Amino acid sequence: MMKQVLIGCVWMISASFGLAQTREAKVSQQVMQNIFEEIRTPYKYGIVIPQPDSGRMVDSPTVFRKGGIWYMTYIIFDGKGYETWLSKSDNLLQWTSLGKIMSFTENTWDATQKAGYVALVDTEWGGSYEPEQFGDRCWLSYLGGSEKGYEAGRLGIGIATSEDLTKPNEVTRMPQPVLSAIDKDARWYDDKTIYKSLVIRDKARKTGHPFVMYYNAKGEKGDDRGNGFESIAMAVSDDMKRWKRFGDKPLITRNTGICGDAQIAKIGDVYVMFYFGAFWKPGAFERFACSYDLQNWTDWTGPDLISPTEPFDKTYAHKPWVIKWNGVVYHFYNAVGENGRVIALATSKELSSKSEN
């Protein structure tokens, strides 16, 4: 009898724990709807970073704040490969180019591809948006490769550091990639090539580690049409230099097309992942998902955050960086249309070109 009671108690505790885990993993539709209302940006301000000329295309914004000034890193593709640039702004609307921070090199694993993304930016919604230092250095992750062309060849993720990310100085790069498709522990979803990455500080150690990387990658398996599809996965680190994959399946995937370019914001107790989708329905468009633990994500099933509607983004509207400042949500994204490949902005309230924030 006592054994049966003990078994019953264990079963009840296990069941309760299972419910807690389910509740932790799943974000309710009401919460998802509330998040959507908070982050939506129905007003398209327009282009904020144009192409420097017809031969150079602009891509992938990362926005941060330091010393009362806004900064944006972004990448330029010139036909040969990616280099990373820096701009600054007083108001998030008008931007001034400062110069390059990652340039082409010779005879390195990343010679012609250096697409950099600032790491450890404050993820608090409406927070400081300052990049946290670790070991007295500022950090970046970057897409690297040695073959010429648009995201050509087998790409990997590199790590770099800087004394001051507000100056257009070349960063210091680690000599080899920290994640690659040819790693021994490569998964089925990232054993072909790896693309953009985002590194955040997990202060609550939801993963058991202080640093978390979200990255999009393509596996050899492909989809039912024989094409490689891109998914969002994660890796973790204790020192920013050595990284290991976390889990054995993607966090966000459609098993076709692209899910990529994650950005994380923390709104209350909910982590929000902004990302873009492409080709699992026509075009490219901005989406989001929510999580309580940084690992299990509930995907939004409602309208796109941003989709092509204007001449400047009529082909693609994708690759998000979203912040809230002084009560206004700013959604920076890569727009492709009549003005080429540029960085555009949508906001939660209508702003004129003379607005100051």
Side-chain angles (χ1 to χ4, degrees), residues 32-95:
M32 297 292 290
Q33 183 66 41
N34 293 343
I35 294 291
F36 174 72
E37 296 299 331
E38 170 67 19
I39 65 179
R40 63 191 298 265
T41 52
Y43 303 101
K44 289 190 176 178
Y45 175 83
I47 298 168
V48 292
I49 306 284
Q51 291 191 181
D53 51 60
S54 61
R56 292 187 290 170
M57 299 185 290
V58 185
D59 214 331
S60 297
T62 303
V63 177
F64 63 96
R65 186 173 172 84
K66 188 74 174 175
I69 303 294
W70 292 101
Y71 295 89
M72 180 195 296
T73 58
Y74 54 95
I75 57 181
I76 289 182
F77 176 74
D78 67 351
K80 177 182 178 180
Y82 282 141
E83 294 180 299
T84 304
W85 289 68
L86 178 70
S87 282
K88 71 174 184 177
S89 175
D90 293 324
N91 61 9
L92 291 166
L93 303 178
Q94 287 81 37
W95 294 85

Side-chain angles (χ1 to χ4, degrees), residues 188-190 192-193 195 216-232 250 252-259 278 280:
W188 61 267
Y189 51 81
D190 69 2
K192 185 173 185 180
T193 194
Y195 296 97
N216 32 307
K218 187 182 292 184
E220 293 285 0
K221 181 179 178 182
D223 60 17
D224 56 6
R225 298 172 300 171
N227 300 318
F229 58 87
E230 266 180 71
S231 306
I232 298 174
I252 303 287
T253 189
R254 295 285 175 143
N255 296 314
T256 187
I258 300 174
C259 295
W280 38 269

Side-chain angles (χ1 to χ4, degrees), residues 59-62 72-76 82-85 101-102 113-119 139-144 158 160 165 171 196-197:
D59 214 331
S60 297
T62 303
M72 180 195 296
T73 58
Y74 54 95
I75 57 181
I76 289 182
Y82 282 141
E83 294 180 299
T84 304
W85 289 68
I101 62 171
M102 300 185 81
Q113 309 287 346
K114 295 187 186 70
Y117 320 107
V118 178
W139 295 76
L140 305 92
S141 61
Y142 69 98
L143 174 157
L165 281 171
V171 301
K196 185 179 177 182
S197 54

Side-chain angles (χ1 to χ4, degrees), residues 82-86 98-106 108 110-111 113-116 137-138 140 142 159-174:
Y82 282 141
E83 294 180 299
T84 304
W85 289 68
L86 178 70
L98 298 177
K100 285 188 284 189
I101 62 171
M102 300 185 81
S103 306
F104 297 133
T105 49
E106 297 289 337
T108 60
D110 54 3
Q113 309 287 346
K114 295 187 186 70
R137 303 285 290 182
C138 301
L140 305 92
Y142 69 98
I159 291 290
T161 65
S162 171
E163 291 184 358
D164 186 355
L165 281 171
T166 69
K167 301 291 190 299
N169 301 322
E170 290 287 325
V171 301
T172 301
R173 308 181 327 276
M174 290 181 61

